[in-house]
Amino acid sequence: MSKFKRHLITAALPYANGPVHVGHLAGCYLPADIYVRYLRSKGEDVKFICGSDEHGVPITIKAKKEGITPQQVVDKYHGMMDASFKEFGISFDIYSRTSKKIHHETAAGFFKTLYDKGVFTEEVTEQYYDEKANQFLADRYITGTCPKCNNENAYGDQCEKCGSSLSPTELINPKSTLSGEKPVLKKTKNWFLPLDKMQPQISAYIESHKDWKSNVYGQCKSWLDQKLQPRAMTRDLDWGVKVPLKDAEGKVLYVWFDAPIGYISATKELLGDDWKKYWQDKESRLIHFIGKDNIVFHCIIFPAMLMAHGEYITPDNVPANEFLNLEGDKISTSRNWAVWLHEYLEEFKGKQDVLRYALCANAPEAKDNDFTWKDFQARNNNELVAILGNFVNRTLVLSEKYYGGKVPQADEYNKNDLYLLEELKKFPDKISASLDAFRLREALSELMNLARAGNKYLADNEPWKIAASDEKRVRSVMNISLQVCASLSVLMEPFLPFSAAKLGGMLNLKGLRWRDAERTDLLKAGHQLGTASLLYDKIEDEVIEAQVNKLHESKKMNATPSSILPQKAETSFDDFSKMDIRVGTILEAERVPKTDKLLKLKIDTGIDQRTVVSGIAADYKPEEIIGQKVAILVNLAPRKIKGIESQGMILMAENAEGKLAFVSPTRDINNGGLIK
RNA sequence: UGCGGGGUAGAGCAGCGGUAGCUCGUUGGGCUCAUAACCCAAAGGUCGUAGGUUCGAUCCCUACCCCCGCUACCA
């Protein structure tokens, strides 16, 4: 039925610097798994590819911090992720890793092909080099004073204090984090993918996929409208895939060049020579499941690489999800604000499907969504237990009671029966339509509608009431209810594979395909059913409260230690006394238009009244700070901000969350009073 | 600030030109086979704001506001 002979489905390669959390699952692994299981159930030829992304700078930094090698870092997390995906029922055909030999060969080969075809442009730039450590420094390995806010601990790519994005050469007093030495500028050559020149064909490619999700298509359009820029595909670093050229000593492939090729090398590893069918045959369909942070790489850069190579098909669809928040706050690995999959699996043994259900029902398909434990509990208790589990349970309990677990013979169908059976036949196609359009939440809710229909049918026909008076009728009602259970067991498999298997066991059915779900004779009269047991248990309030508490405690623990910055370099009293800090009073305050954080203040410094622009609007409203006593550095060189000359700087204290507070004398000191 | 996504009942979402719909929650009733489960019914929305196009707008156009992401600013 599909115009494609085979499907290659990938899920974003998770970065091997931390374990898997619910955000990852909801973003791409669960949707991809549901889609793949659905295709398999339809009998399609499908391969599901994933693996750990093990290169890139953050891993080398993490290794340094923990005093181990990068290889040890990735080994640890690769093992964890592999195991927890497996236990959660993410049914990869292969879960590989980019540190494997086959990947290094494939990625290097791919690069070499592009190089030989003359695709790349070469550019020599000046980069910082650490002479003591004998290597070029990635942006993150350089710290120095931020030229914008004087923060002495700014990184080469970004100042975390003021948020400015920087280039390493802008830093004042740059320092290598490897040796502490001052790095020197040294020329280095890198290879660029000329996306600017490829813009026409990339545009044509994107334009031919207007059917993509609006968040994906919109993001791509935005990049194209801003004109693509050449992008460096190599880096001066020693952790990664070596650039396969003679004059490229000490260089590796850019992670975003190397990572998507991981899909290709994993396919090779899985299939041997057959891999080409999936990547190079026009009748193959390539689909990437990713989170929104990866859209550009999968929709523009990777397709550009594939086109430049020439022998590959391009992604047919990239159904990217938005982000999942947790209890109202962004999920963060470093702040330990997350529900970790390996911990969930430990604490909720056998409840994989509950999390699968909660995440799918609330997946961030169109916008960011919030995962809350309360919602998780409600989904389980009010939907899985009360609707799906209950329908199956009441049907099987009655069958056991009336017929000793043997499927009864249906006699004549009445109006009610025919109506339900007609409805039943529509479900596989209805759910298919939603799944084919990557509307998984909708598909899941359709599935639940079948269970709802079953519950209603039982309530309307009340077999328990007529059990004694009309045995014939009861046999028909129970037969039909059992057929609905059988269809459910097939249709729920992509979403709830563990429950589907359990239900299959209770019904003593297996090996059914998607199409079978529309049949109304899956269970023959006389067929012996297995033993009934509950599909889902209620989750009590205490369990949920415990999880919420755990979350908040870990947040508290993380808030304090890591956020205290180390002491700055020693300074002299002379240097300190150059600062002229005075007590002042805020006379006027107003928002600087078109900015989020800036206030324009008029301050009485005792010396004069002057204008100061200050980034405090997130914490203070203009009207509430009039009359506030402040500490002000008055002899700071004036600087124009948003066209307003700022003549000084207000001193602010900052807590771990970045909240600001005025520094102000505790007894009444007149304006102009010296702070020393 | 620029770009993208989003703003629809208490919560989560669908609808995207013809007098607002789904799930959960709430309230009332029924039932008792079933895990205090199930079934029925009701309440609850001026569809972010203001203009415009149209016989008619939640849906199209314009401006603005709010939330999220990337980006800028944050002395």
Side-chain angles (χ1 to χ4, degrees):
Chain A
M1 55 175 274
S2 124
K3 62 177 170 153
F4 295 100
K5 257 196 190 149
R6 60 189 81 79
H7 308 259
L8 188 71
I9 313 294
T10 73
L13 303 187
Y15 199 54
N17 72 339
V20 179
H21 58 59
V22 287
H24 296 127
L25 294 174
C28 66
Y29 304 103
L30 182 59
D33 186 61
I34 290 170
Y35 191 70
V36 166
R37 284 174 181 271
Y38 157 67
L39 291 178
R40 287 198 194 112
S41 175
K42 288 213 304 183
E44 301 276 346
D45 179 352
V46 49
K47 294 288 178 274
F48 188 14
I49 306 290
C50 195
S52 303
D53 175 9
E54 307 189 323
H55 296 139
V57 179
I59 282 170
T60 60
I61 291 180
K62 180 143 193 149
K64 248 187 98 58
K65 220 159 117 190
E66 294 182 9
I68 53 179
T69 64
Q71 190 63 48
Q72 284 172 309
V73 172
V74 300
D75 284 350
K76 173 176 162 193
Y77 291 117
H78 173 78
M80 265 175 105
M81 294 195 287
D82 190 15
S84 51
F85 278 137
K86 218 168 252 149
E87 200 182 333
F88 192 57
I90 302 294
S91 57
F92 298 130
D93 287 302
I94 182 167
Y95 187 77
S96 186
R97 51 196 306 191
T98 58
S99 60
K100 285 200 174 172
K101 187 163 166 252
I102 190 167
H103 173 68
H104 279 246
E105 287 169 3
T106 305
F110 197 104
F111 183 90
K112 191 74 181 6
T113 303
L114 295 196
Y115 178 82
D116 290 341
K117 291 183 77 172
V119 169
F120 295 121
T121 52
E122 296 181 8
E123 206 172 300
V124 177
T125 52
E126 289 204 310
Q127 300 271 329
Y128 275 122
Y129 185 84
D130 184 328
E131 288 178 310
K132 202 163 169 190
N134 216 13
Q135 62 174 278
F136 279 98
L137 296 167
D139 297 354
R140 278 262 141 179
Y141 277 141
I142 305 164
T143 59
T145 304
C146 172
K148 312 221 166 123
C149 73
N150 286 335
N151 166 26
E152 291 177 16
N153 294 303
Y155 289 101
D157 55 349
Q158 193 190 33
C159 170
E160 294 192 337
K161 176 119 176 273
C162 71
S164 317
S165 71
L166 304 168
S167 93
T169 48
E170 292 178 63
L171 289 177
I172 304 160
N173 293 325
K175 241 198 267 176
S176 163
T177 58
L178 296 179
S179 63
E181 294 293 306
K182 190 180 156 130
V184 295
L185 280 172
K186 207 170 153 177
K187 286 198 166 113
T188 174
K189 182 154 74 174
N190 278 295
W191 286 266
F192 286 70
L193 186 64
L195 292 170
D196 50 338
K197 281 185 220 142
M198 301 179 69
Q199 171 125 10
Q201 50 170 315
I202 297 170
S203 288
Y205 166 66
I206 300 294
E207 287 306 318
S208 71
H209 287 291
K210 288 210 165 74
D211 55 312
W212 285 0
K213 288 178 58 176
S214 55
N215 57 343
V216 178
Y217 180 76
Q219 185 86 77
C220 293
K221 276 297 271 182
S222 141
W223 271 71
L224 291 170
D225 290 346
Q226 283 166 49
K227 298 283 177 249
L228 301 176
Q229 299 298 322
R231 212 175 167 99
M233 292 292 130
T234 54
R235 292 288 138 103
D236 293 292
L237 194 71
D238 64 356
W239 177 246
V241 177
K242 301 257 171 295
V243 174
L245 300 174
K246 276 184 236 88
D247 53 346
E249 199 52 40
K251 291 178 201 296
V252 296
L253 301 182
Y254 174 40
V255 258
W256 272 113
F257 184 87
D258 139 41
I261 295 176
Y263 299 137
I264 303 175
S265 33
T267 315
K268 273 190 189 170
E269 185 183 343
L270 175 68
L271 299 172
D273 290 342
D274 262 3
W275 74 273
K276 283 193 172 175
K277 276 201 309 200
Y278 288 85
W279 280 97
Q280 305 191 336
D281 184 325
K282 293 255 175 305
E283 288 179 310
S284 296
R285 184 183 193 212
L286 176 60
I287 298 178
H288 298 305
F289 281 85
I290 56 170
K292 68 171 159 189
D293 50 339
N294 282 187
I295 289 174
V296 197
F297 298 106
H298 286 80
C299 299
I300 293 181
I301 298 177
F302 188 45
M305 288 161 54
L306 295 170
M307 288 184 225
H309 186 288
E311 289 171 18
Y312 285 83
I313 56 170
T314 46
D316 180 62
N317 208 326
V318 185
N321 271 352
E322 301 282 300
F323 281 154
L324 188 72
N325 293 326
L326 173 60
E327 302 281 353
D329 206 350
K330 256 184 275 190
I331 294 180
S332 160
T333 299
S334 55
R335 282 178 18 244
N336 200 19
W337 186 253
V339 175
W340 301 106
L341 179 57
H342 64 282
E343 292 184 3
Y344 176 89
L345 291 168
E346 195 56 39
E347 291 164 31
F348 292 87
K349 279 217 184 306
K351 291 199 191 302
Q352 288 93 332
D353 282 351
V354 179
L355 186 57
R356 288 178 69 110
Y357 183 84
L359 291 178
C360 181
N362 191 30
E365 285 178 3
K367 63 173 187 194
D368 290 359
N369 272 137
D370 205 18
F371 176 91
T372 63
W373 281 106
K374 213 173 142 247
D375 177 71
F376 169 84
Q377 181 190 28
R379 297 274 180 201
N380 180 74
N381 293 355
N382 304 332
E383 299 180 29
L384 287 178
V385 172
I387 297 167
L388 179 58
N390 193 232
F391 169 65
V392 168
N393 187 238
R394 56 203 299 216
T395 304
L396 286 169
V397 167
L398 285 175
S399 302
E400 179 63 38
K401 193 156 145 190
Y402 297 156
Y403 312 112
K406 274 202 170 47
V407 177
Q409 175 77 50
D411 285 307
E412 290 154 20
Y413 291 147
N414 72 12
K415 227 171 58 193
N416 283 350
D417 304 344
L418 290 171
Y419 176 77
L420 179 65
L421 293 173
E422 273 315 302
E423 284 299 298
L424 173 65
K425 284 185 196 162
K426 293 181 195 156
F427 273 91
D429 279 342
K430 236 194 269 183
I431 298 177
S432 283
S434 300
L435 287 172
D436 289 338
F438 303 107
R439 291 197 294 259
L440 308 197
R441 306 167 57 127
E442 184 181 274
L444 181 61
S445 107
E446 279 302 337
L447 173 73
M448 294 305 281
N449 283 342
L450 179 55
R452 287 189 183 98
N455 274 321
K456 183 167 159 48
Y457 176 76
L458 277 180
D460 289 347
N461 293 284
E462 301 181 301
W464 49 89
K465 247 187 186 167
I466 52 170
S469 57
D470 192 350
E471 285 180 32
K472 213 168 126 186
R473 178 75 199 127
V474 173
R475 280 200 297 274
S476 296
V477 172
M478 292 315 300
N479 179 292
I480 290 173
S481 299
L482 284 165
Q483 305 298 350
V484 173
C485 288
S487 290
L488 275 173
S489 78
V490 175
L491 298 177
M492 70 202 261
E493 198 277 340
F495 308 93
L496 307 164
F498 296 90
S499 321
K502 200 165 166 187
L503 179 54
M506 289 187 225
L507 296 171
N508 194 15
L509 271 180
K510 60 172 150 225
L512 296 177
R513 283 276 171 83
W514 192 257
R515 276 276 139 241
D516 294 321
E518 66 186 21
R519 281 169 49 189
T520 53
D521 61 343
L522 282 173
L523 293 160
K524 306 279 186 259
H527 174 88
Q528 180 64 51
L529 303 169
T531 5
S533 63
L534 296 177
L535 280 181
Y536 307 101
D537 301 309
K538 280 201 85 155
I539 296 175
E540 301 300 333
D541 293 348
E542 301 87 74
V543 177
I544 295 303
E545 276 163 32
Q547 287 299 329
V548 174
N549 289 340
K550 178 178 158 190
L551 213 44
H552 284 102
E553 263 160 41
S554 70
K555 190 183 203 177
K556 247 186 259 159
M557 275 174 53
N558 274 277
T560 27
S562 62
S563 61
I564 307 277
L565 293 168
Q567 181 177 314
K568 293 182 184 175
E570 196 175 277
T571 187
S572 66
F573 180 74
D574 263 8
D575 278 346
F576 174 72
S577 41
K578 286 179 195 161
M579 313 275 165
D580 190 341
I581 307 174
R582 304 292 181 112
V583 173
T585 302
I586 298 177
L587 301 176
E588 293 167 18
E590 59 180 286
R591 292 288 291 259
V592 177
K594 310 270 189 195
T595 63
D596 290 342
K597 298 189 190 167
L598 294 183
L599 289 184
K600 178 180 167 188
L601 308 174
K602 188 169 208 187
I603 311 239
D604 184 341
T605 61
I607 307 165
D608 53 16
Q609 293 186 0
R610 57 173 81 184
T611 301
V612 170
V613 177
S614 184
I616 57 176
D619 298 290
Y620 291 102
K621 292 203 174 72
E623 59 273 17
E624 67 190 29
I625 59 173
I626 308 292
Q628 172 72 45
K629 285 266 183 204
V630 297
I632 172 169
L633 178 59
V634 292
N635 64 338
L636 182 66
R639 180 169 165 148
K640 264 202 172 174
I641 298 161
K642 281 278 157 190
I644 304 163
E645 187 171 87
S646 179
Q647 303 155 317
M649 177 169 124
I650 307 275
L651 268 51
M652 304 297 295
E654 185 179 24
N655 74 358
E657 278 102 55
K659 275 240 171 294
L660 299 173
F662 290 110
V663 176
S664 171
T666 54
R667 79 177 62 187
D668 193 27
I669 305 280
N670 62 302
N671 290 338
L674 202 57
I675 296 177
K676 52 185 183 178

